[in-house]
Amino acid sequence: QVQLVESGGGLVQAGGSLRLSCAASGQSLSSAAMAWFRQAPGKEREFVAAISPLGDITRYGVLVKGRFTISRDNAKNTMSLQMNSLNPEDTAVHYCAARRTSPALSRDSREYYYWGQGTPVTVSS
């Protein structure tokens, strides 16, 4: 059974940066696409970014493109999300997710099988 654990969330001022990490254990996810999603209070879960197994293909949500960078290190079984130019609209619980075996990137949260518990990000104005 795969376990995903996020870290790196916290409180930051608008314009600041944070780096989220996701550590996977239980089995290698090197053949599966992975992604970040987020959910703000009272809102639906939102796609943030996705990355292919080799890390050579990435996709970003419209609201974060140009500010966030997703990456992964298969040797360490980890994934990261570098978040720059943060604004209060980025405030949300951020979740790490992985597809069971498929390498295809997806913006649909229903396509992802494994989920972390989430790490909160709060951006003050």
Side-chain angles (χ1 to χ4, degrees), residues 109-124:
S109 62
R110 296 169 297 180
E111 301 285 348
Y112 292 84
Y113 187 80
Y114 301 109
W115 290 86
Q117 82 289 351
T119 185
V121 171
T122 303
V123 184
S124 63

Side-chain angles (χ1 to χ4, degrees), residues 14-107:
S17 298
L18 280 176
R19 186 177 181 86
L20 304 183
S21 295
C22 173
S25 62
Q27 70 181 56
S28 172
L29 294 173
S30 59
S31 63
M34 298 184 71
W36 289 95
F37 288 82
R38 66 187 183 184
Q39 188 165 18
K43 295 187 177 181
E44 293 187 354
R45 191 163 294 190
E46 174 189 21
F47 171 76
V48 176
I51 188 166
S52 61
L54 294 180
D56 55 339
I57 302 172
T58 57
R59 295 286 186 269
Y60 294 93
V62 172
L63 296 179
V64 307
K65 193 171 185 178
R67 299 187 296 123
F68 291 11
T69 302
I70 188 172
S71 60
R72 65 189 294 170
D73 185 337
N74 289 334
K76 297 180 180 179
N77 227 15
T78 59
M79 178 177 67
S80 297
L81 184 69
Q82 177 65 41
M83 306 186 295
N84 298 329
S85 302
L86 286 161
N87 59 63
E89 289 68 41
D90 295 314
T91 295
V93 177
H94 285 65
Y95 297 91
C96 166
R99 300 197 69 171
R100 195 166 190 176
T101 56
S102 173
L105 275 64
S106 174
R107 297 171 182 264

